[in-house]
Amino acid sequence: MSDIPTSDTPTRTQASPQPGTLDDLYAESEHWQVNTGGKTIHAKRLPGRWRRIKWWAASVWLIFFLGPYLRWDGRQAVLFDIPHRQYHLFGATVLPQDFWMLSLLLLFFAILLAVATALAGRVYCGFFCFQTVWTDIFTLIEEWLEGDPRQRRALDRAPLSLHKLRIKSAKHLLWLLIGFATGWSFVAWFYGVFSLWRDFFTGQANGAVYASVALFTVGTYLLAGWLREQVCFWLCPYARIQGVMLDRTTLVPAYDLNRGEPRGRLRKEALGDATGQGDCIDCNQCVAVCPTGIDIRAGQQEGCITCALCLDACDQVMDKISRPRGLIRYASLDELEGRRVRPMLLSVRVWVYLGILVLSVLGIGYGFSTLVSIELNVLHERSPLFVELSDGSIQNKYTLKVLNKSNDDLQAQIAVSSPVPIEVRGIEHSLSMRHGEVTPMMVFIRIERAHLTGESIPIFFTAEASLADGTQATAERESAFFAPGPD
């Protein structure tokens, strides 16, 4: 019961608005708490259901650190090889020519973020955002070394001493190590993790590698260690645009005004039977646990990242004073105002978002299912369009560009066919193709005048190569043979 303020227990008071209606509570931004950096937020860390969910959600970021070590067919499973302009995704190799799939992937995640916001507010910010996750880890280290919020504030105010210097140095060193691990893991996705281990510490890596690791180390240290909630308030654009994504049916952490007001401290002799007042006992535990330092009782506001930690804090207090849970809960504005709650899935906007998601996934699936090992492009010589030889036959010139999209060097055989007899020069030998590169070939096609059937005759080019696994890769392209018209 020590966390429950009573008439005999002093408590830290907040400027608590007492609006008359829910519209006042949610519309008046003058009651918002916005920390402009004048003080450090030392949030209280409490166990609870939402805290466990938050850790489980944050564990997704283990993929960021462990993913580069996953192997597939003898190489890194996911490798964005920018120097060679190749992107290996398990068994598939994606080249810049297939980058339209990346556009669909970015569209998918953008719309997914919009769907999540429309349904549950800034749930991404509260549970998955790298800034939130890293800040939570940094403050956990801070609590391990410096103690609870009261002890941390006391240490901050204390004069410099050997004890303070030792604790602060250990904390900042661990922060920098986490920043370094972040930068290292980021570069490993592009460089290759085992090559990075070999080259980084022997000085063989290029300058961009060292600069990237240093940038991420310092950036992570500053953003998660020093700026913390200021990133959410002032640097993150998502905090600015979330307002247009929310509506009256969106579920967000909300304070039940009708149940909680009028609030007041609970007297010991009236514990469990405080008639004449709402369920809120003004304990400020919801404020104490908030990582951005806001008071959720002032309504949904810019600083709320919907992490739901205030729900854990309030439910624990309600349990102690024998009141029902849910004074602060995930709820829509319609629910709090007693209006009929329309199912979120009946929203046209949500269905539009889901439709775009499905189309994006189908497009990406189609792209991966149609990836080929070699790609053929045929360019017809335009100047001149054709040449008349001394024997009266007509000759056209073509430039073939064959892209080897496999992971091995290949030998390609080029074949040309047409409805009429043709003579082909330039394809006598196989074409040597390096993996990931475009190899050109010059081809000349000659047709006797007697075989010309018009000003344009279809020409079919085929490139065929044997892959390392014994299968055949084939690419085809249709072009045209041009000849002079009738006299």
Side-chain angles (χ1 to χ4, degrees), residues 361-426:
V361 171
L362 291 177
I364 295 171
Y366 170 79
F368 275 104
S369 65
T370 56
L371 284 177
V372 292
S373 298
I374 60 174
E375 189 174 286
L376 174 63
N377 192 21
V378 179
L379 303 177
H380 191 288
E381 182 71 27
R382 293 298 180 184
S383 181
L385 195 61
F386 59 85
V387 173
E388 184 175 358
L389 302 180
S390 58
D391 61 357
S393 61
I394 304 300
Q395 178 176 280
N396 283 198
K397 178 183 177 182
Y398 303 83
T399 300
L400 276 58
K401 293 188 175 182
V402 187
L403 172 62
N404 181 3
K405 301 170 72 173
S406 71
N407 300 315
D408 304 295
D409 296 341
L410 300 177
Q411 296 290 326
Q413 304 294 329
I414 307 298
V416 185
S417 62
S418 175
V420 301
I422 60 175
E423 180 183 331
V424 184
R425 291 188 294 112

Side-chain angles (χ1 to χ4, degrees), residues 84-86 95 97 375 401-406 409 432-440:
H84 297 94
R85 295 181 297 175
Q86 297 180 3
L95 298 182
Q97 289 82 354
E375 189 174 286
K401 293 188 175 182
V402 187
L403 172 62
N404 181 3
K405 301 170 72 173
S406 71
D409 296 341
S432 298
M433 303 182 300
R434 290 183 57 83
H435 64 279
E437 296 184 2
V438 175
T439 305

Side-chain angles (χ1 to χ4, degrees), residues 128-300:
F128 297 100
C129 175
F130 53 87
Q131 171 66 19
T132 302
V133 173
W134 265 249
T135 299
D136 208 15
I137 295 174
F138 276 37
T139 54
L140 178 62
I141 292 173
E142 189 173 61
E143 183 170 278
W144 283 346
L145 295 174
E146 298 182 3
D148 59 32
R150 179 185 59 80
Q151 294 171 318
R152 297 202 296 272
R153 284 189 288 268
L155 184 64
D156 289 343
R157 294 191 299 265
L160 184 63
S161 64
L162 185 60
H163 172 72
K164 180 176 181 178
L165 182 62
R166 184 176 66 253
I167 293 177
K168 294 288 186 182
S169 298
K171 179 183 74 173
H172 289 286
L173 177 60
L174 290 175
W175 284 0
L176 285 171
L177 288 176
I178 294 175
F180 177 80
T182 302
W184 175 277
S185 298
F186 176 81
V187 172
W189 289 95
F190 298 86
Y191 195 88
V193 65
F194 294 113
S195 299
L196 185 61
W197 277 106
R198 181 190 65 236
D199 297 343
F200 188 88
F201 296 106
T202 59
Q204 299 180 45
N206 58 53
V209 170
Y210 294 104
S212 298
V213 173
L215 180 63
F216 269 83
T217 300
V218 175
T220 304
Y221 172 74
L222 292 177
L223 293 178
W226 290 92
L227 293 180
R228 297 185 183 181
E229 78 285 343
Q230 298 301 305
V231 176
C232 304
F233 277 119
W234 311 114
L235 298 182
C236 179
Y238 184 47
R240 296 287 188 263
I241 65 175
Q242 67 156 338
V244 300
M245 297 183 180
L246 307 181
D247 59 25
R248 303 183 65 88
T249 64
T250 303
L251 293 177
V252 291
Y255 168 66
D256 191 339
L257 176 71
N258 293 326
R259 176 184 157 187
E261 302 297 330
R263 73 187 69 160
R265 292 186 298 177
L266 190 64
R267 296 181 178 275
K268 287 182 177 180
E269 61 272 14
L271 192 61
D273 187 27
T275 58
Q277 72 176 58
D279 283 352
C280 178
I281 61 173
D282 210 13
C283 63
N284 288 309
Q285 291 300 300
C286 56
V287 181
V289 300
C290 181
T292 61
I294 69 165
D295 189 341
I296 192 63
R297 295 171 297 179
Q300 184 63 208

Side-chain angles (χ1 to χ4, degrees), residues 50-65 109 112-113 115-117 120-137 232 236 238 305-309 330:
W50 292 104
R51 165 57 72 179
R52 290 193 299 272
I53 294 174
K54 186 176 174 65
W55 279 122
W56 278 111
S59 65
V60 171
W61 281 99
L62 289 175
I63 299 174
F64 174 77
F65 292 99
F109 283 113
L112 182 62
L113 189 61
V115 171
T117 304
R122 294 172 63 183
V123 65
Y124 169 77
C125 294
F127 293 89
F128 297 100
C129 175
F130 53 87
Q131 171 66 19
T132 302
V133 173
W134 265 249
T135 299
D136 208 15
I137 295 174
C232 304
C236 179
Y238 184 47
I305 59 174
T306 69
C307 63
L309 297 179
Y330 268 101

